[in-house]
Amino acid sequence: MTEPIHIMEPSALLQGDFSSRQLRDALGMFATGVTVVTTVDAAGVPVGLTINSFSAVSLEPPLILWSLVNTAGSRDAFLNSKGFVVNVLAAHQHDLAMQFASRSPDRFLNVPITRGTGGLPLLSGALAWFECKRYAEHLAGDHTIFIGQVQRVGHQQAAASAAQNGTDHDRDLTLTTPLLFHRGILHRHGFNH
């Protein structure tokens, strides 16, 4: 049975006079994928954090963007780096998302990585990854928007091909299903589980 659709009355709409919490709650209605953005600091030490503010900008040239709160301890590392990697997390990488969202000083502890262009860390098992050189940064309110020009891109093509061929369907769905963020919660297997 389908749930009835609730239509908000105009008096329930918030116009101009709303709190940060009300804005966050409304923004939380938009489901996003979950990524870990990585770079290296001036000493070559890996730096990374979980974000969900990732978006495509342009195909020609190939540009993507993500944003970071200006008070983040890792902001200077990203501002001073030559590039970064956006690692799109798969449903089975919930714990990895939580590890990179923590305040741990060593978020890369026990995390298998490979090194991409310029030594940038790529997370093993990511659903997709975008190796970028810094293209532009823009200060926007309490965040900095980072725009990267994609230099190399990859995705779990082998796992996707296996899922399309119907082999070991449940395992393949876990490998090819993105981790989602909706209403402040990480969802491993869509919204029905």
Side-chain angles (χ1 to χ4, degrees), residues 64 82-85 120 130-134 148-151:
I64 57 93
K82 292 182 179 179
F84 53 84
V85 178
L120 295 174
F130 303 85
E131 290 183 64
C132 301
K133 71 176 182 179
R134 278 185 29 235
Q149 184 168 1
V150 179
Q151 303 296 294

Side-chain angles (χ1 to χ4, degrees), residues 10-50:
S11 62
L13 300 176
L14 303 170
Q15 300 178 16
D17 187 22
F18 52 86
S19 69
S20 292
R21 178 78 260 159
Q22 290 167 320
L23 177 61
R24 287 178 66 102
D25 288 348
L27 290 169
M29 294 299 180
F30 181 68
T32 66
V34 180
T35 67
V36 170
V37 181
T38 59
T39 193
V40 291
D41 66 14
V45 176
V47 175
L49 70 154
T50 301

Side-chain angles (χ1 to χ4, degrees), residues 2 32 58 72 94 97 148 151 166 173 184:
T2 305
T32 66
S58 169
H94 176 276
Q151 303 296 294
L173 279 179

Side-chain angles (χ1 to χ4, degrees), residues 73-193:
S74 58
R75 183 172 177 263
D76 285 344
F78 285 102
L79 285 172
N80 295 318
S81 71
K82 292 182 179 179
F84 53 84
V85 178
V86 177
N87 299 273
V88 178
L89 299 188
H92 70 278
Q93 294 179 305
H94 176 276
D95 292 342
L96 191 63
M98 297 305 295
Q99 182 168 334
F100 278 89
S102 75
R103 296 198 181 272
S104 169
D106 188 5
R107 294 175 181 165
F108 285 86
L109 184 65
N110 298 321
V111 175
I113 63 170
T114 57
R115 295 290 183 153
T117 306
L120 295 174
L122 286 80
L123 303 182
S124 297
L127 193 59
W129 57 94
F130 303 85
E131 290 183 64
C132 301
K133 71 176 182 179
R134 278 185 29 235
Y135 184 82
E137 296 83 30
H138 300 284
L139 191 59
D142 60 359
H143 278 65
T144 299
I145 298 169
F146 289 86
I147 299 177
Q149 184 168 1
V150 179
Q151 303 296 294
R152 290 184 4 167
V153 62
H155 61 91
Q156 293 292 353
Q157 186 171 0
S161 295
Q164 289 173 352
N165 293 331
T167 59
D168 200 2
H169 189 262
D170 289 339
R171 185 182 74 74
D172 293 331
L173 279 179
T174 300
L175 295 175
T176 60
T177 300
L179 184 61
L180 299 176
F181 184 74
H182 179 247
R183 297 183 71 192
I185 300 169
L186 291 172
H187 297 270
R188 293 180 182 160
H189 303 290
F191 300 115
N192 296 326
H193 297 277

